[in-house]
Amino acid sequence: MVKSMTEGKPLPLILQFALPLLIGNLFQQTYNIVDAAIVGRYLGTEALASVGASSSVQFLVLGFCIGICCGFAIPIAQRFGAKDYRLMRVYLFHGAVLSAAAAVILTLLCAVFCPQILHLLSTPENIYAGAYQYLLIIFLGIPFNLLYNLLSCVLRAVGDSRTPFIFLAIATALNILLDLVCILGLHWGVSGAAAATITAQAVSGLLCLFYILRKVPLLHIQREECRMDGHVTKTMFAMGVPMGLQYSITAIGSMVMQSANNSLGSVYVSAFTAAMRIKQFAMCPFDAIATGVSTFCGQNLGARKPDRIKKGIRQGVTVGVLYGLCAGLVLIFFGRSLSLLFVSKSAVDVLDASGTYLRCLGYFFWSLGILNVCRMTTQGLGFSGRAVFSGAVEMAARIFVSLAFVPVFHFGAICYADQSAWISACLYIVPVCIGCVKKISKSQE
């Protein structure tokens, strides 16, 4: 069901939009957690390390896929807000073609260079075989990832965050079932976890496609709209590629950080894997709120309502920071206990390291409420390059800590690399976001 966000109180609209997205994100992270929990509990800590050894490069590649799909949806949201439905569908057609091309190129490149990627990450030899099997299957599922993310972003662009959530919930339940079948029943090991994940992604993407074809005639592309246009293609590249690079640039810093952590041994790889699953789950509300604010601002940019954009950003940041403070306290006091989801009580060293990482993370978790909202809003308002540069700042800070301090302080430096990156990026993106809103307000007066 499409929904305009150009009328009514901003915060209720943003939260109403963000709630299904949040629950969907939580479901998505739930099946990531289930993968890791079943692998860690039934296959052991080395298998858990195999699954997590390449998490940063997965974030780089799959994050790029998510980013370009989010970027492709921005002009769709703007044209929907302006009620220019013909041009909206033209953008949708171009997004579909460009996503298909990205699927072919990324899948081939990643599958071919999978061994080199794992060596670049300093993957320990005792977990290399499992890490390769898992990562290769995940890479082969890139087309399914793009299918779901493009169609779910398009539905959200026209105000429907509920439907993608429902399909993701179905996929989550399927993923859990397939995990049990493939790992415990068929004894496929870590390959079973990867196969379950990409199968669930395929189902969620196909469900979105069938729903649009059956229930959303507004998004049905007409024959005369199926023509590639240079100007439209350029616009889509200008929105999609920078947003994809924003995710990827951030992930490059995470890759350097993970490589530094992998060099410390499989105990710390296991600890980092467990902590990352918890961290990613806790970060879901930030992504939902930021996406809600970005979509709200994109629609109101198309409707030429700058005052609503300002209110949406202020209220979104406030909600994000309040959540970050509460979640941070949970990570500080209960991080080690939460790690027991993935690791047995006997693995004391792994549990201690994971608990330390999460506790340090909790001290600065609130900063993500500022960073995510301001960065995604800047992107949604059309200032792609500035949003990308904030990702570059984050990358640089994470790399600096990883290269300069991990050799000296070892895992202690890993525990503060993320926070250094978040604060550095905030110092850049906050004044930039304010400047972008002022520029838009002047142009629309």
Side-chain angles (χ1 to χ4, degrees):
M1 182 175 65
V2 299
K3 183 177 178 62
S4 174
M5 302 172 75
T6 58
E7 300 289 343
K9 294 182 178 179
L11 186 57
L13 286 170
I14 291 169
L15 294 179
Q16 184 181 5
F17 179 90
L19 182 59
L21 180 59
L22 167 60
I23 299 174
N25 287 345
L26 292 175
F27 272 115
Q28 192 166 24
Q29 291 304 323
T30 295
Y31 71 61
N32 289 336
I33 286 175
V34 169
D35 278 346
I38 293 176
V39 169
R41 285 285 185 172
Y42 292 98
L43 301 180
T45 56
E46 284 197 0
L48 178 63
S50 297
V51 169
S54 60
S55 60
S56 60
V57 75
Q58 291 176 52
F59 177 58
L60 185 150
V61 177
L62 302 183
F64 180 79
C65 295
I66 294 170
I68 60 173
C69 291
C70 290
F72 291 161
I74 290 171
I76 294 173
Q78 292 174 353
R79 291 304 92 206
F80 176 76
K83 297 182 171 57
D84 186 355
Y85 301 131
R86 188 201 68 80
L87 186 54
M88 178 191 72
R89 289 190 293 270
V90 170
Y91 280 123
L92 174 57
F93 170 73
H94 282 71
V97 172
L98 294 174
S99 295
V104 173
I105 295 170
L106 288 174
T107 302
L108 288 174
L109 287 177
C110 291
V112 169
F113 291 104
C114 189
Q116 288 81 359
I117 290 170
L118 288 171
H119 287 303
L120 184 65
L121 290 172
S122 302
T123 306
E125 287 298 322
N126 61 318
I127 63 172
Y128 177 86
Y132 175 77
Q133 294 168 16
Y134 184 84
L135 185 60
L136 180 62
I137 295 172
I138 292 296
F139 282 159
L140 294 176
I142 286 174
F144 303 131
N145 183 283
L146 277 164
L147 176 65
Y148 171 75
N149 280 294
L150 177 65
L151 297 183
S152 63
C153 285
V154 168
L155 286 170
R156 292 175 192 131
V158 297
D160 183 3
S161 58
R162 179 175 172 270
T163 301
F165 148 67
I166 293 173
F167 295 152
L168 196 56
I170 294 171
T172 298
L174 176 62
N175 188 89
I176 294 171
L177 176 62
L178 290 175
D179 268 332
L180 296 172
V181 171
C182 295
I183 296 175
L184 303 184
L186 299 177
H187 304 290
W188 287 357
V190 294
S191 299
T197 297
I198 67 169
T199 301
Q201 288 177 342
V203 169
S204 60
L206 290 172
L207 287 173
C208 282
L209 178 61
F210 294 149
Y211 176 80
I212 290 173
L213 293 176
R214 294 289 299 274
K215 300 290 186 180
V216 194
L218 186 68
L219 296 175
H220 291 181
I221 302 170
Q222 306 302 310
R223 184 180 298 273
E224 62 272 14
E225 295 162 349
C226 296
R227 297 177 181 175
M228 294 301 291
D229 178 273
H231 175 72
V232 175
T233 301
K234 183 178 179 181
T235 300
M236 296 299 276
F237 266 110
M239 291 294 182
V241 174
M243 201 159 190
L245 290 175
Q246 175 185 310
Y247 280 82
S248 295
I249 287 172
T250 302
I252 290 171
S254 297
M255 284 181 64
V256 175
M257 174 182 167
Q258 182 156 41
S259 178
N261 184 70
N262 287 353
S263 68
L264 300 176
S266 60
V267 168
Y268 291 106
V269 178
S270 298
F272 188 74
T273 301
M276 284 294 289
R277 292 295 190 271
I278 297 167
K279 168 192 165 185
Q280 289 165 354
F281 189 88
M283 286 174 63
C284 287
F286 293 126
D287 295 333
I289 293 166
T291 302
V293 175
S294 178
T295 301
F296 174 88
C297 292
Q299 288 194 13
N300 282 281
L301 175 64
R304 302 182 66 84
K305 295 183 177 181
D307 288 340
R308 289 177 61 78
I309 293 174
K310 296 175 185 177
K311 289 180 182 178
I313 295 172
R314 285 198 301 267
Q315 294 174 2
V317 167
T318 300
V319 171
V321 170
L322 289 175
Y323 165 74
L325 291 171
C326 295
L329 290 174
V330 173
L331 296 178
I332 290 168
F333 292 107
F334 302 104
R336 190 182 189 279
S337 299
L338 290 171
S339 300
L340 286 168
L341 288 169
F342 312 99
V343 183
S344 65
K345 291 182 180 180
S346 60
V348 176
D349 291 344
V350 175
L351 287 171
D352 288 344
S354 179
T356 300
Y357 178 85
L358 291 171
R359 184 176 66 253
C360 296
L361 210 66
Y363 299 143
F364 294 90
F365 212 57
W366 54 269
S367 63
L368 279 172
I370 302 171
L371 175 59
N372 282 22
V373 170
C374 289
R375 180 153 60 197
M376 288 197 69
T377 300
T378 301
Q379 174 74 43
L381 293 175
F383 297 91
S384 304
R386 301 177 194 189
V388 171
F389 190 76
S390 74
V393 172
E394 186 176 347
M395 174 193 71
R398 197 173 272 114
I399 290 175
F400 176 75
V401 172
S402 299
L403 296 181
F405 295 109
V406 171
V408 179
F409 298 103
H410 307 296
F411 191 69
I414 294 291
C415 291
Y416 284 98
D418 280 330
Q419 301 89 312
S420 302
W422 297 341
I423 296 298
S424 299
C426 278
L427 292 174
Y428 167 78
I429 199 61
V430 170
V432 165
C433 184
I434 293 171
C436 292
V437 173
K438 287 181 178 179
K439 184 175 181 179
I440 287 171
S441 297
K442 288 181 181 179
S443 68
Q444 294 189 346
E445 286 177 354

